[in-house]
Amino acid sequence: EDEEINALYDRGRKESLDAFEKVYERLGTKFDNYFFEGKEGRNGEAIARGLLQKGILEESDGAIIFPGEKYGLHTRVFINSQGLPTYETKELGLNVEKFKLYPDLDQSIIVTANEQSDYFKVLLKVFDLFEKNIAGKTKHISHGMMRFAHGKMSSRKGNVISGTGLIDEIKDMVMEKMGQESSGDSRHALSKGDQQSDDQVADIVAIGAIKYTILRQAIGGDIIFDSVKSISFEGDSGPYLQYSTVRAGAVLKKAKDEGIDPEHDLSRITFPENWKVHDIERLLIRFGEIADNACREFAPQYVANYLMALAGEYNSFYAKQKIVDKSDPLSPYYVTITEAFRNVIVKGLWLLGIGVPERM
């Protein structure tokens, strides 16, 4: 009730949210709505007391609890003996409000660290007992922690790194790699130009490197992050996928400049009698299937691993086959393969939230 303290709180919350928004914008993340603990917690308290009247929750030593042992789970406190709502009660208010705000919601996915798995088993059981619509449409997915190749983070040792700190650290490494070109070492250096600034390119590459390293691993386990490998151009990295995409774009530009258009009507192309379908073509047609499986199984690593295999096949194709060649009647077909590859990898990277710079 102290106006001065409340004013400080409001200012602190606003500055925090503004800072979060800057990070989200940098990551390409957008939220349509925010739910605040202070509001949903109070709403959850009324719900919890209603569940007490229904016999779903029980009183115990002055507190209101859910007797989880009856259902093979553990008991959790929803309102403590001092009458204060716990996180469990705030979750009640949050999820009821979420489905009230979005009544046509098909699915609600809650993502937390693995340590919260047992906690959400209890919450989902409570919802199953009083609001089956919420329970049936809610899925909890847990993930491991990020650990660095050189060792674990520890707040006691003071070697904890923030999310923005990690991005900036990888970005500095990318900027250093871009500088290799001017020093004469252009093997795998990022090109310079006047389309996007070096800073913009480095930011896109750094964020792509981090996202790919996270998403290539199955959800649930810890993520081992190696900063050097994350920006490698030798494969199995976000920058490798981005580089392959930019390379394909450069091929398409060269073809256009030379007047070679993709040929989508294969009946217009005369293939040799011994013609064999390229491996990249077999991979390209699997994109829809891979994306569907990833969506159904909540497994983004399917898309990440597929894109890596696809990029490897295209780069092999690029190395073996001259694509842009006005004297080759099959050149329009090779350009078509390049066009298809670029379309698929751009869409696949979009599914992973990874952007593609204009140049590399």
Side-chain angles (χ1 to χ4, degrees):
E1 296 177 355
D2 187 305
E3 290 185 7
E4 185 177 357
I5 291 177
N6 285 338
L8 288 171
Y9 168 82
D10 289 340
R11 177 186 169 191
R13 186 173 84 164
K14 182 181 183 305
E15 293 196 9
S16 294
L17 292 174
D18 288 346
F20 285 141
E21 285 298 337
K22 290 178 182 176
V23 177
Y24 297 147
E25 183 179 4
R26 190 176 183 186
L27 293 172
T29 300
K30 181 180 181 299
F31 293 98
D32 296 321
N33 195 67
Y34 290 100
F35 296 91
F36 292 101
E37 185 180 295
K39 176 177 179 294
E40 311 313 338
R42 288 192 293 271
N43 294 343
E45 186 175 355
I47 295 170
R49 295 193 183 280
L51 295 180
L52 175 65
Q53 298 301 316
K54 294 180 179 179
I56 295 174
L57 300 184
E58 299 178 357
E59 283 193 41
S60 176
D61 296 328
I64 297 177
I65 66 166
F66 174 69
E69 282 81 0
K70 292 182 179 180
Y71 307 95
L73 303 169
H74 59 270
T75 294
R76 296 201 72 96
V77 176
F78 277 67
I79 297 179
N80 66 24
S81 58
Q82 286 146 346
L84 299 174
T86 61
Y87 280 116
E88 288 81 347
T89 290
K90 294 171 184 179
E91 288 285 352
L92 293 179
L94 164 63
N95 285 277
V96 168
E97 181 62 24
K98 184 192 297 184
F99 277 81
K100 187 185 298 181
L101 187 63
Y102 301 103
D104 298 325
L105 193 63
D106 293 313
Q107 189 165 48
S108 172
I109 303 170
I110 300 173
V111 185
T112 72
N114 290 332
E115 288 82 352
Q116 304 298 323
S117 292
D118 289 340
Y119 166 85
F120 274 98
K121 287 178 183 177
V122 172
L123 278 169
L124 288 174
K125 184 59 185 179
V126 173
F127 279 119
D128 184 57
L129 294 172
F130 91 96
E131 185 52 83
K132 291 188 180 296
N133 180 54
I134 295 179
K137 291 183 176 181
T138 300
K139 181 175 181 62
H140 174 240
I141 296 176
S142 63
H143 59 79
M145 305 300 287
M146 181 178 283
R147 306 189 186 281
F148 293 94
H150 56 263
K152 298 179 180 179
M153 290 192 294
S154 168
S155 56
R156 180 175 57 83
K157 294 179 180 179
N159 63 349
V160 174
I161 186 170
S162 68
T164 51
L166 177 62
I167 296 171
D168 290 337
E169 179 182 311
I170 301 303
K171 182 177 178 179
D172 287 343
M173 294 174 66
V174 172
M175 290 289 283
E176 183 179 347
K177 201 162 194 173
M178 293 172 72
Q180 291 174 3
E181 185 177 80
S182 58
S183 66
D185 180 10
S186 60
R187 182 176 180 267
H188 296 144
L190 284 80
S191 65
K192 292 182 178 291
D194 55 5
Q195 299 150 303
Q196 289 176 324
S197 69
D198 291 350
D199 186 77
Q200 288 174 311
V201 171
D203 211 59
I204 294 170
V205 173
I207 291 170
I210 295 169
K211 285 187 176 183
Y212 177 81
T213 301
I214 294 170
L215 296 174
R216 65 179 285 274
Q217 302 180 63
I219 291 177
D222 286 350
I223 299 153
I224 307 302
F225 189 84
D226 187 313
S227 56
V228 175
K229 289 182 179 179
S230 74
I231 61 169
S232 169
F233 280 69
E234 303 297 335
D236 206 16
S237 73
Y240 174 76
L241 295 179
Q242 292 169 320
Y243 180 75
S244 301
T245 310
V246 172
R247 166 182 274 177
V251 172
L252 293 174
K253 183 180 184 304
K254 181 180 179 182
K256 183 178 180 181
D257 291 343
E258 296 194 17
I260 302 175
D261 297 323
E263 181 52 77
H264 302 132
D265 185 354
L266 299 188
S267 66
R268 296 183 181 180
I269 297 177
T270 302
F271 293 98
E273 290 185 9
N274 62 346
W275 177 260
K276 291 183 179 179
V277 174
H278 291 81
D279 288 338
I280 187 172
E281 295 174 84
R282 295 189 177 93
L283 266 180
L284 282 168
I285 62 173
R286 295 195 59 207
F287 177 54
E289 169 198 348
I290 297 294
D292 186 57
N293 289 341
C295 180
R296 186 171 56 253
E297 298 181 31
F298 302 93
Q301 73 270 17
Y302 291 172
V303 174
N305 294 333
Y306 165 77
L307 293 181
M308 189 55 58
L310 184 67
E313 284 296 341
Y314 178 75
N315 287 324
S316 177
F317 171 72
Y318 175 90
K320 295 175 183 177
Q321 178 63 57
K322 187 174 182 181
I323 298 172
V324 180
D325 185 354
K326 297 190 78 168
S327 65
D328 187 348
L330 291 176
S331 187
Y333 182 63
Y334 299 143
V335 172
T336 302
I337 291 177
T338 299
E339 179 188 55
F341 164 73
R342 191 178 189 285
N343 286 342
V344 167
I345 198 167
V346 166
K347 290 178 181 177
L349 288 171
W350 179 84
L351 288 176
L352 300 178
I354 295 175
V356 178
E358 294 175 3
R359 59 184 172 84
M360 285 184 74

